Amino acid sequence: MVATRSHLYPGTEGLLGWEIGAAGFRVVIDAGVPDIVRGHFGRHLRAFLAEHELTVDDIGTWICHPGGPRILSAVSETLGLSEDALDRSRRSLAAVGNMSSVSVLHILEDVRARRAPEPGTWGLLLAMGPGFCSELVLLRW
């Protein structure tokens, strides 16, 4: 782990989170989440990478929390990623669904088990969570 960044997007508190009631927990994922990703997430991610003299193109391994197909598509479109950059996230979503925060650890394990990236290459672990917030972890293998 080289660096981390958390960002809470103001005015988005009701878009993503948990509703707690007598029947237990219910996930809240507003249909506007992909729009927030498209409108703001890319700018913050690029600024984070720039602080380390990196760009999206420098990242060889993407470990992205699979919040859903529309969110993965929004991340991919916003960052201009290759068609297969988020395949691990899509496979995880198809195999086990959205496991909330632990999803990124499931994908990280898949990365390590299948074929670890070459030493010295860059990776980025990213997730979105309640509030609406983003969490970024810059990795170097």
Side-chain angles (χ1 to χ4, degrees):
M1 288 184 10
V2 175
T4 64
R5 174 70 44 87
S6 297
H7 186 82
L8 175 63
Y9 298 83
T12 62
E13 293 82 3
L15 293 181
L16 185 65
W18 300 95
E19 192 173 272
I20 304 169
F25 290 89
R26 184 179 74 78
V27 175
V28 174
I29 303 176
D30 188 274
V33 168
D35 294 332
I36 296 295
V37 171
R38 285 185 189 95
H40 303 287
F41 178 70
R43 183 176 69 249
H44 290 111
L45 184 142
R46 285 183 178 90
F48 172 67
L49 291 177
E51 290 174 14
H52 302 280
E53 299 180 359
L54 298 169
T55 69
V56 168
D57 293 335
D58 293 315
I59 304 301
T61 302
W62 294 90
I63 301 169
C64 180
H65 174 253
R70 290 182 35 216
I71 293 172
L72 288 173
S73 292
V75 169
S76 184
E77 292 165 17
T78 300
L79 300 177
L81 299 179
S82 68
E83 185 74 25
D84 62 343
L86 300 181
D87 278 356
R88 289 179 180 101
S89 298
R90 288 186 177 91
R91 278 196 309 268
S92 176
L93 186 61
V96 296
N98 182 349
M99 298 184 294
S100 196
S101 302
V102 76
S103 294
V104 291
L105 299 178
H106 181 259
I107 297 164
L108 179 60
E109 178 59 27
D110 180 61
V111 168
R112 296 183 71 217
R114 288 183 185 253
R115 184 176 43 180
E118 293 293 320
T121 61
W122 293 100
L124 192 68
L125 185 147
L126 59 106
M128 286 148 251
F132 181 79
C133 66
S134 61
E135 303 292 334
L136 307 172
V137 180
L138 182 60
L139 305 169
R140 187 122 195 216
W141 301 104

